[in-house]
Amino acid sequence: MQPFNKRAFFRVDLKIPLSALLKIISVSGTKTDTKHSRIAIKDISAGGIRMHSKLDLPIHVNLVLEFTFQLFNEPVKVIGAITRKTKLDDALFEYGIQFYLDVNKERQLMAYLNMLSTRLRAQNVLGSCSFCSDDDLDEFYNEDMKNKLIYGPVPEV
């Protein structure tokens, strides 16, 4: 029997991550203005993302985050909050993010993600979307981790 998937939205798993910018816009209800930080989006749905970042963000503080990336030559800006955090390496963290979207933004994002899912069946990267470049990947991942994330774990012999 397969485990029950409690996600409300279909998720697009990205072999090559999307490059995006993250900005903290509020901490515990107080507006703030921080610099942008580059992140790598590993999977995405209309409900949220799984992302990698070099930032060690607190999860017990009410952070509201803004994410900016490009899908089909259109800038996409969404707001979300951290739902989980995992340390992957000394200076690399994986976060689960839940989006806060109105119905129109949710529908628009679902349409983009349907199109993205369809087009990624033929190729791993689309020029009209902000996929990570080789330099972006080198910034985030050491060679072993990059190979595991992109090519999957090496089978034991």
Side-chain angles (χ1 to χ4, degrees):
M1 185 172 176
Q2 287 192 331
F4 177 69
N5 185 347
K6 61 185 176 185
R7 292 191 172 105
F9 302 98
F10 87 94
R11 190 163 284 273
V12 179
D13 190 33
L14 303 166
K15 191 168 187 173
I16 305 296
L18 277 174
S19 177
L21 295 175
L22 165 127
K23 182 177 181 178
I24 299 170
I25 60 172
S26 108
V27 179
S28 298
T30 303
K31 288 186 179 185
T32 185
D33 188 22
T34 64
K35 293 181 180 180
H36 285 93
S37 177
R38 185 152 310 277
I39 62 161
I41 298 174
K42 283 298 297 161
D43 66 42
I44 184 169
S45 77
I49 58 174
R50 179 170 55 105
M51 67 167 219
H52 293 165
S53 174
K54 292 188 168 260
L55 296 176
D56 185 2
L57 299 168
I59 59 171
H60 301 295
V61 177
N62 185 12
L63 292 180
V64 178
L65 308 170
E66 176 185 85
F67 301 90
T68 308
F69 51 94
Q70 187 171 315
L71 291 176
F72 304 104
N73 295 316
E74 293 293 329
V76 177
K77 191 177 283 194
V78 291
I79 305 298
I82 299 170
T83 57
R84 68 169 183 82
K85 174 182 176 180
T86 306
K87 186 173 183 175
L88 297 177
D89 204 6
D90 287 338
L92 187 64
F93 298 87
E94 179 174 277
Y95 296 92
I97 303 295
Q98 178 180 353
F99 290 153
Y100 302 132
L101 303 177
D102 65 34
V103 175
N104 291 331
K105 187 82 167 185
E106 188 178 279
R107 283 187 190 137
Q108 180 185 29
L109 185 55
M110 284 190 329
Y112 281 143
L113 295 179
N114 279 322
M115 193 164 40
L116 182 64
S117 177
T118 301
R119 293 192 182 173
L120 286 177
R121 290 182 193 139
Q123 57 196 60
N124 291 330
V125 175
L126 304 172
S128 60
C129 301
S130 59
F131 283 95
C132 286
S133 67
D134 287 339
D135 288 342
D136 292 334
L137 292 173
D138 289 342
E139 180 184 328
F140 280 101
Y141 309 113
N142 63 37
E143 203 60 36
D144 277 349
M145 186 168 284
K146 186 167 58 169
N147 287 334
K148 284 179 194 171
L149 290 169
I150 295 171
Y151 303 112
V154 177
E156 293 191 26
V157 182

